[in-house]
Amino acid sequence: MRTAPTILHLDMDAFYAAAEQAAKPSLRGKPVIVGGLGPRGVVSTASYEARRFGVHSAMPMAQARRLAPNAAFLTPRFRLYREVSDQVMELLSRLSPLVEPLSLDEAFVDLEAGGAADDTASARATGERLRADIRAATGLAGSVGLAGSKMLAKIGSEQAKPDGLVIIPPGSEREMLGPMPVRTLPGVGPATGEHLRRAGMTTVADLAEAGEDELVRLLGKAHGASLYRMARGHDDRPVVSERDAKSVSVEDTFDVDLHDRVRVRAEVERLAERCVGRLRDAGRSGRTVVLKVRRYDFSTLTRSDTLRGPTDDPVVVREAAARLLEGVDTTGGVRLLGVGVTGLADYTQEDLFAQAAADAPVGGVGEGSVVGGGAPVPPADLAAGGGDTGGGEAGGTADDRPAVVAGPASADAVDGPGQRRFPAGHDVRHAAFGAGWVQGSGLGRVTVRFEEPGSAPGRVRTFWVDDPDLELSDPLPLIPGAVAGAVVGPADADAAVTGEGNDREGTGDGAEGGPGPEGRAGGGTRDDATVGGAAGPAEGQSSWSAMRPKPRSASRSDREAGGSAGSGAGRGSP
């Protein structure tokens, strides 16, 4: 334990939602919810405006829609979040060589190792300067905790939210921790917390008073002894600059249970190729292939197969996963599938006896949702992916009603399997109107709000999805005039970004249907959205019906939901 608060913990406030609000002027100050938009999706991040309605992370998206029906519901844009995270991590690396990223929006920093602080006053000054630099570089707010240990620094940043700084002076640990609930301590989850509650321990002070022997009896030697030390305020874990990934995995929750065995195998093979894509992006290989199957009754089965040596061959991993599937009964239906690789290595050992042919075709690589300790892969060009989604804001005024723009569309006005997909909230660019973002899509149309970071709230227009002038584009910098991927701060405006971050807001085993950046046409992935309505024009715009028949779902209710298309945002239904 240190005698000065020189361990800093930074946690960006409502990171995903705050980044979306910074990028979309029309959403600032309004409830924004980022996550999987399908019926089995969950909330990844909710803005503080949405949290006032009771919405929180890991909540089922259907429940979030009931609590905050007028919020903007958006799919994640991990490319943008990664770029902003890199800027933040670069600023942290200037403070110390010991920076331990925990996720895209969270990290520990050893200020003493970098000479940035050696007492309370210098630590406070460094923390305040860091918060100012982050706001100057990204426009976002971060909360900072300073303490003599990692555990207390993290507790301090939680107390500082939103947009604050809290110092926990060394020597005050037990007094501060005593009245806090046991769930405050690292390693105490719902099951352990309930076990301790039944034993009559609800606060950290109760744990300290119970003694080490009692906690060891209840929880086992390792866990009990560790928990007793933390309850007394002792935590000597060092800040570690590099954390090796233990596994790489991807999984999808399907909107409708899969019963067709051929379809289930095809999904497993697709997931295997996505997993290998993440392996290769990380420059790693793996020896053990793991298959996860969650059936219709929520029972979860896990099977694994250890190969002869580490591999990053998609065909080998795909065939290994398919073999594992043969031993799993999927008769009643499958709601979730996952493929992972463990036993990671930095080299590849070719298996000469692999069943896969060397010239077997390799499928497309997408993005997954879970990387054990590793960094998330930014989404690739989404022009060929992403489910039909809605998007936008609630309460559109008359000026916000979408102007219907004619485009050289196909003969049908309804969605088809070959149509381009425009996920809610993602960036687009139109040849005539410039940059904007998808407010919603459905029934062969896409509604776009044309605005940029730093601009005034923009106008809304609706296009046919096959309009050649409309294309998905890369995210714009949150600070106008900044170069994407570069830190724009007072220290060095031209510094290259080298920081790394991990994605903790994707889902793990406990949260189904979490947000993943990839969508597919008719694929039922975790971030596919239900199409609840069309993008209807404002009343009095007769040119729409003159061009094509007006679908029944393009009603007044759609126009009143901020002019959005589909059910992703505005007043979208679950």
Side-chain angles (χ1 to χ4, degrees):
M1 298 291 294
R2 302 187 179 188
T3 58
T6 55
I7 292 183
L8 180 148
H9 181 263
L10 171 71
D11 197 351
M12 302 294 291
D13 298 334
F15 181 49
Y16 292 1
E20 297 296 347
Q21 289 177 317
K24 302 173 173 61
S26 59
L27 298 186
R28 292 171 188 168
K30 299 181 180 180
V32 173
I33 300 172
V34 180
L37 302 186
R40 291 177 176 172
V42 300
V43 175
S44 173
T45 308
S47 68
Y48 285 96
E49 294 84 359
R51 296 182 190 187
R52 298 192 186 105
F53 295 93
V55 181
H56 58 78
S57 298
M59 172 182 286
M61 187 61 76
Q63 182 180 356
R65 290 184 186 275
R66 290 192 294 270
L67 293 174
N70 292 331
F73 293 84
L74 307 175
T75 56
R77 294 191 296 159
F78 286 105
R79 178 176 297 176
L80 170 65
Y81 311 149
R82 180 63 176 270
E83 289 176 356
V84 177
S85 175
D86 285 348
Q87 291 178 297
V88 173
M89 296 301 165
E90 168 67 13
L91 292 173
L92 296 181
S93 68
R94 298 175 185 175
L95 300 178
S96 172
L98 292 182
V99 177
E100 182 178 339
L102 303 179
S103 65
L104 283 174
D105 65 333
E106 184 180 6
F108 287 110
V109 183
D110 188 337
L111 299 180
E112 187 177 294
D118 55 9
D119 57 14
T120 301
S122 59
R124 179 185 295 275
T126 299
E128 293 290 4
R129 186 171 63 252
L130 172 64
R131 293 175 56 235
D133 289 349
I134 290 174
R135 187 176 291 277
T138 68
L140 304 182
S143 296
V144 169
L146 290 159
S149 67
K150 292 169 67 173
M151 175 186 71
L152 294 171
K154 183 172 175 60
I155 292 174
S157 67
E158 288 295 325
Q159 294 180 339
K161 286 184 171 294
D163 193 17
L165 181 147
V166 167
I167 295 180
I168 300 178
S172 65
E173 295 89 354
R174 292 193 62 178
E175 179 182 357
M176 185 269 298
L177 287 172
M180 292 185 173
V182 295
R183 290 287 303 276
T184 303
L185 300 180
V188 181
T192 301
E194 177 62 20
H195 189 47
L196 292 171
R197 187 195 64 80
R198 290 197 299 265
M201 305 176 196
T202 58
T203 67
V204 176
D206 294 336
L207 301 180
E209 293 172 3
E212 183 175 357
D213 292 342
E214 177 65 10
L215 293 179
V216 167
R217 184 186 69 82
L218 289 173
L219 305 175
K221 185 175 181 180
H223 195 187
S226 173
L227 200 59
Y228 177 70
R229 285 179 54 81
M230 288 189 292
R232 293 174 58 85
H234 296 296
D235 177 23
D236 56 2
R237 294 174 299 162
V239 176
V240 181
S241 59
E242 294 184 4
R243 303 170 70 232
D244 284 339
K246 297 180 180 179
S247 65
V248 173
S249 62
V250 296
E251 61 184 43
D252 275 345
T253 298
F254 303 99
D255 290 344
V256 179
D257 291 350
L258 302 184
H259 296 273
D260 185 352
R261 185 75 177 185
V262 175
R263 169 73 185 281
V264 172
R265 179 185 174 107
E267 293 294 337
V268 167
E269 293 179 347
R270 181 183 61 82
L271 289 169
E273 292 173 352
R274 288 172 54 190
C275 183
V276 170
R278 302 200 69 178
L279 266 181
R280 289 184 168 181
D281 286 338
R284 309 296 293 274
S285 61
R287 184 171 184 176
T288 301
V289 178
V290 181
L291 174 70
K292 175 181 175 182
V293 180
R294 181 165 295 160
R295 299 187 289 190
Y296 68 99
D297 57 357
F298 285 89
S299 61
T300 303
L301 303 177
T302 303
R303 300 288 185 268
S304 62
D305 181 19
T306 299
L307 308 174
R308 297 173 182 267
T311 183
D312 63 352
D313 188 334
V315 181
V316 173
V317 175
R318 186 175 64 219
E319 292 197 350
R323 289 196 300 270
L324 293 172
L325 178 64
E326 294 174 358
V328 178
D329 180 16
T330 61
T331 305
V334 173
R335 63 182 292 119
L336 178 147
L337 289 171
V339 175
V341 175
T342 64
L344 302 187
D346 294 327
Y347 66 96
T348 299
Q349 179 176 324
E350 297 296 338
D351 185 355
L352 299 179
F353 299 94
Q355 299 180 17
D359 57 351
V362 179
V365 176
E367 292 72 42
S369 60
V370 181
V371 176
V377 181
D381 183 7
L382 289 171
D388 279 344
T389 60
E393 62 173 292
T397 64
D399 290 338
D400 291 328
R401 292 173 181 170
V404 181
V405 180
S410 60
D412 297 323
V414 297
D415 294 333
Q419 288 183 345
R420 297 183 298 168
R421 305 288 171 171
F422 292 88
H426 283 254
D427 294 274
V428 294
R429 180 168 291 277
H430 191 274
F433 301 105
W437 57 278
V438 177
Q439 190 163 318
S441 64
L443 297 180
R445 282 154 287 178
V446 55
T447 299
V448 177
R449 184 178 288 274
F450 289 97
E451 60 186 8
E452 302 179 18
S455 71
R459 298 293 299 271
V460 178
R461 297 179 183 272
T462 297
F463 306 87
W464 299 110
V465 295
D466 53 1
D467 188 330
D469 292 334
L470 185 67
E471 297 289 343
L472 284 162
S473 65
D474 293 335
L476 297 173
L478 297 185
I479 300 297
V483 178
V487 173
V488 182
D492 181 3
D494 299 319
V497 173
T498 59
E500 290 295 331
N502 302 325
D503 173 25
R504 69 178 171 94
E505 299 198 69
T507 58
D509 294 346
E512 266 191 18
E518 175 180 312
R520 295 172 295 107
T525 61
R526 69 189 63 205
D527 51 9
D528 289 342
T530 30
V531 179
E539 288 187 34
Q541 292 178 325
S542 59
S543 59
W544 180 267
S545 57
M547 290 184 292
R548 294 191 184 178
K550 182 177 180 181
R552 288 184 301 170
S553 57
S555 63
R556 179 188 299 270
S557 63
D558 293 319
R559 297 191 297 272
E560 293 174 347
S564 65
S567 62
R571 303 178 59 89
S573 59

